[in-house]
Amino acid sequence: GVIHELYFKGIYNRAMAFLKDIPGRPVILDLGANIGLFSLMAAATHAKAEIHAYEPGPPNYRLFEINCLANPALEKRIHLNKEAIGGETTRAEWIFSDQNPAGSGFYTKDGERYQVQIRAFADVINALPGEIALAKIDIEGTEYDLLANTSAETWRRIQAISLEVHGDPSKKSSPGEFLRKMSGFGFKIEEENVINYFLHR
């Protein structure tokens, strides 16, 4: 399913077109990296890009490692972290769904459960030098936690975002409200399909 989305539906075509024209050594974030296909696409698209990928789920992480080993020319520019990204640094239960592996996460109802490390989004951004050229955020509802706990100043260090917006698990907000707040941080928003958006400055 992940391969179909990326290579046949082309949900990251806009992000890759943006990345291709960035000069220098752009820094890329892959949040909710799954089995690593976005990271590998980014590394293949830009020969000098440095990708920092975050994937907490052991089943996905193992496949990401295998995919990196199968692509040694790209692997050296991909920095894989076995962590989730959230609004605050903590630990929590992450659930792997056999029926929908791409939808695994903290709000999945059924599946194998793992205790994983969550790292605060702001801490990740602040640990990196300069601007973030592109961030891919597909974290199955945890994006609302990022929004609630990350300052406008931190968001402004990111030039573009490939974003999947889900329903708010807490029912306190909505995808529309999420996008309105991102617009307030200075992002222009392009809709790519039902829940995928490309945000840029």
Side-chain angles (χ1 to χ4, degrees):
V2 175
I3 293 171
H4 183 268
E5 280 193 354
L6 268 65
Y7 290 102
F8 295 100
K9 291 176 67 177
I11 65 170
Y12 294 124
N13 286 353
R14 181 69 181 83
M16 293 303 122
F18 172 85
L19 175 59
K20 186 177 181 180
D21 295 329
I22 297 176
R25 303 181 67 88
V27 174
I28 315 299
L29 287 179
D30 184 357
L31 311 185
N34 198 262
I35 63 173
L37 298 187
F38 177 89
S39 290
L40 290 165
M41 285 176 65
T45 297
H46 197 298
K48 294 182 179 181
E50 293 286 334
I51 298 96
H52 297 266
Y54 290 82
E55 173 54 49
N60 291 339
Y61 189 92
R62 284 194 293 271
L63 285 175
F64 195 141
E65 289 181 309
I66 291 168
N67 284 330
C68 282
L69 289 172
N71 294 273
L74 304 177
E75 181 210 9
K76 60 185 178 181
R77 290 184 288 111
I78 298 173
H79 310 284
L80 177 54
N81 302 274
K82 197 174 186 179
E83 297 174 310
I85 297 298
E88 300 176 308
T89 296
T90 185
R91 290 185 65 82
E93 191 172 68
W94 185 92
I95 304 167
F96 178 75
S97 170
D98 285 323
Q99 300 301 313
N100 179 25
S104 300
F106 296 108
Y107 302 106
T108 303
K109 292 183 178 179
D110 299 309
E112 192 168 358
R113 296 168 183 269
Y114 300 89
Q115 282 291 320
V116 302
Q117 180 65 45
I118 303 174
R119 190 173 178 196
F121 182 53
D123 291 347
V124 171
I125 299 294
N126 292 333
L128 295 170
E131 295 182 341
I132 311 304
L134 173 66
K136 171 260 205 172
I137 302 176
D138 182 5
I139 50 179
E140 305 301 320
T142 308
E143 60 269 20
Y144 292 92
D145 190 34
L146 265 61
L147 190 62
N149 292 280
T150 305
S151 69
E153 182 181 355
T154 299
W155 286 108
R156 291 190 183 106
R157 288 187 56 193
I158 305 171
Q159 295 306 299
I161 301 174
S162 188
L163 173 69
E164 186 165 316
V165 185
H166 305 81
D168 181 6
S170 72
K171 311 297 184 186
K172 295 178 181 178
S173 188
S174 67
E177 179 62 19
F178 187 100
L179 293 170
R180 280 191 291 274
K181 288 184 178 179
M182 296 302 287
S183 179
F185 296 148
F187 289 105
K188 298 176 182 178
I189 298 170
E190 298 178 17
E191 185 172 358
E192 298 195 281
N193 61 40
V194 178
I195 56 173
N196 286 286
Y197 300 87
F198 184 72
L199 285 59
H200 61 96
R201 300 194 180 280

